[in-house]
Amino acid sequence: MTLDAAGLFALGTALCYALADMCIRLGLKHTNAFVGTTISQSTQVAYFLLLFSLTGFDLPPPGTHYLWIMAGGMGQPALFAIFFMIGISRIGVSRAAPIKGISPMFGALFAILFFGERPALHHIGGIVFVVAGVALVSSGKTEGRWRRADAVWPVLAALSAGLGANFWRRGLPGFPNPLAATLVALSASLLVVGTYTFFAVRRNGAGDLRRAILPFMLTGLVGGTGTLLYANALQRAEVYRVLPLIQTAPIFTVAFALLFVRRAERITWRVPAGAILTVGGALLVTMRFGGS
């Protein structure tokens, strides 16, 4: 049983995304999900433009790989971030983070149906564990603090992540340097997010931007690093292996929530138990056993 470079990149992505989750929770106290996503995405684009100026990487010649990467960016991080931030604002980060762990199910399904990936039985078993963990987190009484129907938002985030990962996987072979692919994807992502935000601000206002900008800039910096690691992981391994390992992020997020926001979110035993089950399935999916 081995954990290769792709697995290490995916684990790094998971840690970055968990840190970003906590920054998001802080920022959403002062503005809405659309504004927060725009600040985060703008910071990420600026971050990668700075890397571009420092490293001088080249963009590949035009081709369909640009369309795949742009579509990937629109799914993950654009729509994923919007749906996930709405989920955090409705049901709390300790629940929303594990529920989005259903993304490996969508990712594996799309990869099998449309892109010819063939997972082994232990990979399928791991996906089942992930889904069971999500079901455990979202079960039980809501105690009047959140509605179970609001769990649809992190589920939509998971769907966007699963589809987006397949688009990323399809386009990455045309980008020898993952930095170039990440910059293209984030630029497309910012276009989608900016359009959403324009209408959201006109309808609901922007909130207290002075207090929201710092946590969402931190979200952008940490999340941008995670996106770069994500691209490196997808360059090296199949979607059904990468996505579940990234879903180890909930174990970090729940640990942070237990330390810092337990009273605010009324975290029951189901939340950490479901997160552990999700992570166990993620590890099973990403490991290679023998020649599998």
Side-chain angles (χ1 to χ4, degrees), residues 14-72:
L15 181 57
C16 287
Y17 285 177
L19 291 171
D21 290 349
M22 300 308 296
C23 294
I24 289 169
R25 189 185 186 282
L26 292 174
L28 286 175
K29 294 178 179 180
H30 310 296
T31 190
N32 60 58
F34 301 102
V35 173
T37 307
T38 300
I39 296 171
S40 169
Q41 298 290 300
S42 299
T43 303
Q44 290 189 47
V45 170
Y47 173 39
F48 282 97
L49 285 174
L50 177 61
L51 290 178
F52 177 84
S53 66
L54 293 175
T55 62
F57 59 84
D58 295 323
L59 292 171
T64 55
H65 47 281
Y66 276 89
L67 297 178
W68 285 113
I69 288 296
M70 290 171 67

Side-chain angles (χ1 to χ4, degrees), residues 122-123 125-130 244 276-286:
H122 65 272
H123 297 139
I127 292 171
V128 171
F129 271 52
V130 169
I276 291 171
L277 191 58
T278 298
V279 171
L283 290 172
L284 185 60
V285 169
T286 196

